[in-house]
Amino acid sequence: MSGGVDSSVAAKLLAEQDYNLSAIFMRNWDTRDESGTDKGCEWEKDWQDVQQVCRTLDIPCRMIDLSREYWNRVFEPSLRLWESGVTPNPDVWCNKEIKFGALLDRLPHSESIPEEAWFATGHYARKSTGPRAKLLRAVDRHKDQTYYLSSLSEASLDRALFPIGGFTKPEVREIARKHNLVTAERPESMGLCFVGEKGKFRDFLDQYIPPKPGPIVDLLTDKTLGEHHGLWTYTIGENARISGMPMKMFVSRKDIANNRVYVVPGTDHIDLWATSIRATGWSWIWADSPPIGISQPAGTRLRAKFRHKMGDIPCTVRRRADGDVIITFDDPRKAVSPGQVVALWDADWCLGCGTIVEGKNDPPQSLDYTQDYQKANIAYTQESPNP
Ligand SMILES: Nc1ncnc2c1ncn2[C@@H]1O[C@H](COP(=O)(O)OP(=O)(O)OP(=O)(O)O)[C@@H](O)[C@H]1O
């Protein structure tokens, strides 16, 4: 239990059934050594709320400190990826490595809980009841969290329960109010708590990654427009905020080998779009049974997402001989970043995920790339005599 409304209601729903329940609150970030405070991660408040809800439900609870495991298995590897210029998803790896990893590993040894005990969370997701467990999207499509759970192993899924997956968020809040759970009006949690205020992500990473300056280059003219302090300070698709330019410039690529950030004018330049992606390091939830048809030349029809907050994309999926997977979108998509997790679904069934290596606009759809490039170049140099 996290101290939020979702896991409180998950516990309440299980308490109404015939389970022998025990709650665990996990602490996974320790900032006291650096700043003397836990600002941003108000874990004490969360822990108090977990205890309060457990008193209301009459179930035991305990805290487990996994901050060392989180640092070693999620944060440190993510730092190395940010430093190298790609964009990792620590929230996806936290589920695999910490909640359904370190935490599950600890339980049988630290408590008298049998191996076959269930492990329940307040995620918005469902599980099928067939002979093999399938991870299914939540009933509340806006809240569905299967993207974050797409890296789980089948063994972890076997032990998982998602009690709130059949409810909408308003229904979950209503249950919490009806049963006087102190967390009923708790606001939504906002991603990585330890980063603190929204928009301060760069400042946060600056504390951990030494600066590595390099040029910001105009893809159209090859001119240097400014300097970045490290590839991690920009994400593909974002406004590069270069002053003195006739148009807003957006990051379309990073050249990791040469430590360069490339920008293009406007939000809609063709270099910002991708028609296909290549992804590596596939983790299929049914590890022995990747999607049928994926190794055929024609591939198989599935749906993909490479960010939690995006609609899923109809696509054709093919596996290469080296195990990497090529996902070709029916319609091009913007802002594909290497390092991000891409997950696949067959209708509601989440199959697994891989890590994006590259996005390609090949062949460019809906626009003639050469013409567009020339037009943009001409228009751009006319508007900008001295870029
Ligand atoms: N610190 C924690 N200790 C134990 N379990 C946690 C913790 N953080 C998250 N979880 C579990 O993972 C689930 C999903 O976590 P997430 O961070 O996405 O929170 P959420 O969707 O806002 O849910 P909640 O409202 O319960 O915080 C939680 O419902 C809870 O079961």
Side-chain angles (χ1 to χ4, degrees), residues 38-226:
D38 268 346
K39 203 169 177 300
C41 290
E42 291 152 330
W43 69 272
E44 277 172 325
K45 167 85 178 107
D46 292 341
W47 174 223
Q48 275 168 17
D49 284 352
V50 167
Q51 293 175 89
Q52 180 64 46
V53 171
C54 287
R55 273 195 293 274
T56 308
L57 300 178
D58 195 23
I59 57 177
C61 60
R62 57 180 295 199
M63 176 161 72
I64 293 186
D65 191 333
L66 291 175
S67 44
R68 182 186 296 266
E69 287 84 349
Y70 186 85
W71 180 277
N72 290 335
R73 289 164 67 166
V74 178
F75 189 64
E76 174 75 18
S78 297
L79 272 186
R80 300 287 76 83
L81 290 169
W82 275 308
E83 193 171 5
S84 77
V86 304
T87 309
N89 284 99
D91 285 335
V92 176
W93 304 118
C94 177
N95 278 315
K96 183 188 175 80
E97 295 292 334
I98 304 300
K99 287 180 199 160
F100 290 86
L103 187 54
L104 266 184
D105 291 346
R106 282 244 200 138
L107 295 186
H109 309 294
S110 60
E111 296 183 36
S112 55
I113 291 180
E115 284 277 1
E116 66 271 21
W118 297 105
F119 182 73
T121 68
H123 283 107
Y124 285 85
R126 291 175 301 146
K127 232 176 92 172
S128 74
T129 49
R132 285 181 85 168
K134 290 180 178 177
L135 177 64
L136 301 176
R137 288 191 229 246
V139 164
D140 187 336
R141 291 307 165 98
H142 298 295
K143 291 297 300 176
D144 173 55
Q145 289 178 308
T146 46
Y147 175 76
Y148 288 130
L149 297 170
S150 58
S151 64
L152 293 195
S153 67
E154 188 177 359
S156 299
L157 186 62
D158 276 340
R159 295 179 69 180
L161 288 179
F162 305 118
I164 63 163
F167 294 88
T168 63
K169 184 82 188 199
E171 287 169 342
V172 165
R173 283 211 188 275
E174 203 41 52
I175 296 171
R177 280 185 205 115
K178 195 170 138 205
H179 297 283
N180 297 318
L181 303 182
V182 285
T183 50
E185 309 303 335
R186 258 290 181 101
E188 298 289 302
S189 55
M190 300 295 289
L192 303 171
C193 68
F194 47 77
V195 176
E197 281 173 62
K198 227 179 147 204
K200 297 280 181 192
F201 190 59
R202 207 155 294 166
D203 297 346
F204 171 76
L205 283 187
D206 278 349
Q207 299 171 58
Y208 298 94
I209 306 178
K212 194 177 171 197
I216 302 176
V217 178
D218 185 337
L219 183 75
L220 307 187
T221 61
D222 209 35
K223 286 192 176 147
T224 297
L225 303 179

Side-chain angles (χ1 to χ4, degrees), residues 1-2 4-7 24-26 99 120-123 145 189:
M1 291 174 67
S2 61
V5 63
D6 298 328
S7 48
I24 300 157
F25 171 75
M26 168 186 73
K99 287 180 199 160
T121 68
H123 283 107
Q145 289 178 308
S189 55

Side-chain angles (χ1 to χ4, degrees), residues 83 212-216 228-231 255-261:
E83 193 171 5
K212 194 177 171 197
I216 302 176
H228 65 80
H229 301 294
L231 291 177
D255 177 349
I256 291 176
N258 296 304
N259 196 31
R260 291 172 145 221
V261 169

